[in-house]
Amino acid sequence: MIAYLSRRYRFSASHRLHSDAMSLEENVATYGKCNNPHGHGHNYTLEVTVSGQVDQATGMVCNLVDLDQFVHREVLSRYHLENLNTMKEFTVTVPTTENLCIQIFEIMQRGFSHAHLERVRLEETMMNSFEYTGGRADGMRR
């Protein structure tokens, strides 16, 4: 029996949406107010969904302590209260929430082995959320 577990976390980070490959005018036209030279911040809500067999002994897909410790150590401690533009993973890539979502998925995919990673969903605002499910054709949903 396969079951799914989703867990939510919160963190805050800032960014400026700007591409060095575009002119100032193109950046403003593409990113609007999010191209503010001083940046802006978000209070993100991260949702991680994993799946697996329900362990007969524990009745769980995975131990929440393992998931929480991994997310706190590898994701939240990395991004909380950071300016995403200063991070090495965003030196070439624009730190959009879509790209942040992909980065978090890849961190989880590489390191969390207690259950199968299904998706990462990142809520940027009450109106915007993004989810990524890996390299599958349906990998990015808005």
Side-chain angles (χ1 to χ4, degrees):
M1 176 168 97
I2 299 289
Y4 297 84
L5 163 66
S6 294
R7 190 89 162 144
R8 296 181 76 141
Y9 307 90
R10 291 196 169 92
F11 68 98
S12 299
S14 66
H15 63 175
R16 176 188 185 205
L17 302 186
H18 182 86
S19 172
D20 291 336
M22 294 191 282
S23 69
L24 179 60
E25 293 78 18
E26 290 173 308
N27 272 291
V28 171
T30 302
Y31 301 117
K33 66 182 180 179
C34 296
N35 185 247
N36 179 336
H38 303 291
H40 63 282
H42 296 285
N43 295 314
Y44 293 100
T45 299
L46 167 65
E47 184 175 281
V48 174
T49 300
V50 296
S51 67
Q53 295 286 332
V54 175
D55 183 276
Q56 298 243 340
T58 65
M60 298 187 297
V61 170
C62 74
N63 191 323
L64 289 178
V65 172
D66 294 331
L67 182 58
D68 287 350
Q69 286 178 344
F70 184 88
V71 171
H72 284 276
R73 183 181 67 246
E74 301 296 331
V75 178
L76 302 183
S77 69
R78 177 177 191 82
Y79 295 118
H80 184 57
L81 300 179
E82 293 294 331
N83 176 343
L84 300 176
N85 297 81
T86 65
M87 307 196 77
K88 70 177 184 170
E89 57 265 52
F90 297 113
T91 54
V92 177
T93 305
V94 179
T96 61
T97 302
E98 292 94 327
N99 285 330
L100 179 57
C101 193
I102 291 167
Q103 288 296 321
I104 293 170
F105 183 93
E106 290 176 355
I107 290 167
M108 295 293 303
Q109 185 76 31
R110 281 191 306 266
F112 188 73
S113 59
H114 298 280
H116 175 74
L117 179 63
E118 290 289 336
R119 72 180 176 103
V120 167
R121 180 178 180 274
L122 198 52
E123 189 173 296
E124 179 184 64
T125 68
M126 219 169 65
M127 302 296 287
N128 296 336
S129 66
F130 307 89
E131 59 183 69
Y132 186 68
T133 59
R136 301 190 305 257
D138 66 342
M140 180 60 75
R141 298 183 186 144
R142 264 194 164 175

